[in-house]
Amino acid sequence: MFVPPPSKQASVFATLPDALRMQGEPSEWRDGQPGQLPEHSLLEGPAFDRDGQLWCVDIAYGRIFRVSPEGRFETMITYDGEPNGLAFHADGRLFVADYKNGIMVFDPKSGQIAPFLQRHNLERLKAVNDLTFSSTGDLYFTDQGLTGLHDPTGRVFRVRADGTVDLLLSNVPSPNGLVVSPDNQTLYVAVTRANAVWRVPLMPGGGVAKVGLFVQLSGGGGPDGLAIDRDGGLAICQIGLGVVWLMTPRGEPALRIDSPSGLHTTNVAFAPNGVLEMFITESETGTLLRCEVPKPGLPLFGD
């Protein structure tokens, strides 16, 4: 439907060192997922803190890493969990979408991690995937589990700044990455098994209405992580193709960014402070990619 956009190739910023690759180690998360996944790690969830340092996770082995500007990995915590997505609160705490334990909070100062939300209306969550903050401090997260076209019961929640929990969607076939528009009026959700990104209007009364398709993709395994620029354009990781698509706020393809290594482009984060770069987790080879982009990312919550 559209003219193919210009394309460029990302470069390798950092590679998970051999000493941190868990060859031959068991992983309940990896063994329970469909398809073939890398044995060494599963990098996901890139996020920048207030000091401009990049963080990411290894879902398969319960690790949260901090990566220096020179590309050195530092293990900040290893725990009994399956961290998938990261988002920093304005107060410096790191909120973690943990597939095994629900929403967790890691305190970088103390090095401690603790539960934040594990149940809704006394029922356990399916298995959360990703999370994001709006500029007003509302926390949105996806509850994916093993849902898909065969079982379209994935959910999207909001935890308001006052602690109120809202179930916004309950019919999603594998909800994954999500971002909020700059004006806080629209939520975008990557729906992996439908190979689409949904547009979710946020109503003044707190609910949603007229949810529809923003982008319909094809090929690969579907959209995974999302990021958003200051003008409301989306960055969409399409796992299985090794691609990140940059879309205009109107849903038109503006740029194709190709991985120079593997095809598992799982998630993406814009560099902070207006720097025109983005960083991408590529989990097949256990690398972090970097690419120059035409527009800066949306400022972090609290900035």
Side-chain angles (χ1 to χ4, degrees):
M1 297 296 292
F2 296 104
V3 175
S7 64
K8 65 189 304 184
Q9 189 175 84
S11 61
V12 174
F13 164 66
T15 300
L16 188 69
D18 290 343
L20 294 176
R21 291 176 179 254
M22 307 292 284
Q23 302 287 359
E25 296 295 326
S27 167
E28 183 181 18
W29 178 88
R30 186 189 61 226
D31 294 343
Q33 297 291 327
Q36 294 183 342
L37 295 172
E39 182 181 11
H40 49 76
S41 62
L42 203 297
L43 295 186
E44 250 275 19
F48 282 91
D49 63 21
R50 290 303 185 281
D51 296 324
Q53 297 187 94
L54 179 61
W55 296 58
C56 65
V57 302
D58 170 19
I59 310 171
Y61 297 104
R63 297 181 291 178
I64 299 177
F65 299 120
R66 186 171 63 190
V67 186
S68 74
E70 296 76 33
R72 293 190 297 270
F73 281 78
E74 179 184 4
T75 304
M76 303 305 293
I77 188 172
T78 301
Y79 71 104
D80 183 18
E82 295 162 353
N84 199 128
L86 300 177
F88 277 94
H89 192 276
D91 62 15
R93 291 178 298 159
L94 180 59
F95 280 66
V96 183
D98 184 313
Y99 193 87
K100 183 176 183 177
N101 298 311
I103 305 299
M104 306 287 285
V105 178
F106 175 69
D107 183 353
K109 294 181 180 179
S110 68
Q112 300 298 309
I113 194 164
F116 176 77
L117 181 67
Q118 296 181 305
R119 302 197 293 182
H120 176 249
N121 290 340
L122 292 181
E123 294 182 338
R124 290 283 176 178
L125 300 171
K126 292 176 179 288
V128 299
N129 182 287
D130 209 349
L131 73 176
T132 190
F133 282 104
S134 71
S135 64
T136 60
D138 291 340
L139 177 68
Y140 294 82
F141 70 90
T142 50
D143 189 25
Q144 180 190 61
L146 292 175
T147 62
L149 293 176
H150 71 296
D151 175 26
T153 59
R155 301 182 293 182
V156 178
F157 287 91
R158 174 179 57 210
V159 183
R160 303 191 200 193
D162 65 6
T164 302
V165 180
D166 301 313
L167 174 59
L168 300 179
L169 298 172
S170 59
N171 63 330
V172 191
S174 193
N176 202 313
L178 72 173
V179 289
V180 182
S181 63
D183 61 8
N184 294 312
Q185 294 186 14
T186 305
L187 178 70
Y188 296 96
V189 181
V191 183
T192 304
R193 269 74 211 180
N195 219 342
V197 176
W198 287 10
R199 182 180 183 274
V200 183
L202 301 171
M203 303 299 289
V208 302
K210 294 187 175 181
V211 177
L213 287 178
F214 177 70
V215 175
Q216 180 67 63
L217 301 172
S218 63
D224 197 326
L226 301 180
I228 191 165
D229 68 34
R230 288 187 177 182
D231 294 334
L234 289 190
I236 305 170
C237 287
Q238 191 167 9
I239 193 169
L241 282 185
V243 166
V244 177
W245 301 99
L246 299 190
M247 311 295 292
T248 71
R250 298 186 298 179
E252 300 169 296
L255 182 66
R256 170 180 173 145
I257 299 172
D258 290 291
S259 164
S261 48
L263 301 180
H264 284 209
T265 42
T266 55
N267 215 328
V268 58
F270 282 96
N273 304 318
V275 176
L276 296 177
E277 287 185 327
M278 65 167 40
F279 290 78
I280 305 156
T281 47
E282 197 293 295
S283 64
E284 182 180 350
T285 59
T287 57
L288 290 168
L289 309 178
R290 175 168 56 191
C291 186
E292 293 185 1
V293 290
K295 294 183 179 181
L298 190 67
L300 298 174
F301 163 50
D303 287 354

